[in-house]
Amino acid sequence: DLIRPTRGRIEVFGKNPRHDVSVRRRIGYLPGDLRLYDRLTGRELFTYFAHPRALGGLGRANDLARRLELPLDRPIGSLSKGTRQKVGLVQAMMHEPDLLVLDEPTTGLDPLIQQSFYTLVAEMREAGATVFLSSHFLPEVQHVADRVALIRGGRLVLIAAVNELRARAFARLEATFATPPPIGAFAHIDGVREIERHGQTVLFALRGEADALIKALARFRVLGIDSHEADLEDI
């Protein structure tokens, strides 16, 4: 209810979230620009959030703090950026929401804690929760998401399952030559497209078998080859 619609309507769990507080108790939210009460400790903040969510105690806060290695009794203002991010994650998940909305959730987290976060999200999803995750880090999206929506210039241009996207994808093959081959040297090969060149290195998109491309590469002196399946960023 911070922004009022000029037209149309929105429903969450079949209810109007403007007028039904019970809807908000079923939602967990982590904003991209996280602002917290610096003088409170994590434990005091979670106690504060427990009241409007009608929790009898701290819900899952203690367990989440343990798994994310978050100290609960230090003032939030004394914490590092990554540790403050952990506070935000715990408050978003402590009441086991049915809908979890996360904006750039792993900002500032070290790699081991990121893995713990991914495990927590998977557990919530398996328990029946819906997770909306917004991120510019596409490998993270690919790791977490079942479905992907792509927004470009403020418009929704794509919604697809990650598995569907990967099935339509290509392999990337990068070949480094002693002397760069002529432009168009591989244009006659079916299923092969030259994407870009960087000095002696040529990057190809490959669909299907690599046999014809490998034989064509052998006409030149090849210093190295690297190949991998396309990830979400390539797609």
Side-chain angles (χ1 to χ4, degrees):
D1 205 26
L2 295 176
I3 299 175
R4 300 288 176 88
T6 54
R7 62 183 183 275
R9 66 177 185 175
I10 186 170
E11 291 185 350
V12 183
F13 308 123
K15 298 178 180 180
N16 185 333
R18 280 190 58 196
H19 306 302
D20 197 322
V21 176
S22 67
V23 170
R24 305 185 195 191
R25 290 176 178 160
R26 299 174 63 188
I27 298 173
Y29 174 52
L30 175 69
D33 185 13
L34 181 61
R35 308 292 178 91
L36 299 169
Y37 297 104
D38 286 348
R39 295 184 180 181
L40 297 182
T41 66
R43 192 182 307 277
E44 290 168 340
L45 184 78
F46 302 146
T47 300
Y48 173 74
F49 276 119
H51 290 295
R53 291 167 174 174
L55 292 177
L58 292 184
R60 292 193 62 201
N62 285 310
D63 176 58
L64 292 168
R66 176 185 59 80
R67 295 176 64 176
L68 294 176
E69 301 179 16
L70 169 67
L72 290 178
D73 296 310
R74 289 172 52 190
I76 292 171
S78 71
L79 302 177
S80 67
K81 178 179 176 62
T83 306
R84 291 164 66 91
Q85 189 74 358
K86 297 177 188 180
V87 175
L89 287 170
V90 172
Q91 67 78 26
M93 304 168 80
M94 60 183 280
H95 55 303
E96 299 184 270
D98 296 312
L99 173 60
L100 183 61
V101 182
L102 304 170
D103 189 0
E104 306 284 353
T106 58
T107 300
L109 298 183
D110 69 56
L112 289 176
I113 298 301
Q114 287 182 26
Q115 292 305 314
S116 297
F117 163 72
Y118 296 147
T119 300
L120 289 169
V121 170
E123 290 172 0
M124 292 190 66
R125 185 176 61 185
E126 289 167 7
T130 295
V131 181
F132 286 163
L133 184 147
S134 172
S135 178
H136 291 88
F137 184 49
L138 295 185
E140 176 172 81
V141 176
Q142 182 172 325
H143 185 80
V144 173
D146 295 313
R147 291 199 303 159
V148 173
L150 178 65
I151 299 172
R152 179 183 295 155
R155 290 187 171 275
L156 195 61
V157 296
L158 171 73
I159 300 178
V162 171
N163 288 340
E164 291 175 9
L165 287 174
R166 298 191 73 173
R168 288 158 38 188
F170 48 83
R172 291 167 59 102
L173 190 146
E174 189 175 270
T176 301
F177 299 88
T179 302
I183 299 294
F186 308 97
H188 64 285
I189 306 173
D190 290 339
V192 173
R193 181 165 58 91
E194 184 176 317
I195 299 176
E196 59 188 34
R197 293 186 176 217
H198 298 288
Q200 296 166 268
T201 300
V202 182
L203 179 63
F204 300 93
L206 171 66
R207 292 184 186 274
E209 294 183 0
D211 183 68
L213 176 58
I214 295 298
K215 290 175 179 175
L217 292 175
R219 293 185 290 128
F220 305 90
R221 185 182 172 196
V222 179
L223 301 180
I225 293 178
D226 182 31
S227 177
H228 62 85
E229 291 184 359
D231 57 23
L232 191 58
E233 187 168 0
D234 297 326
I235 296 167

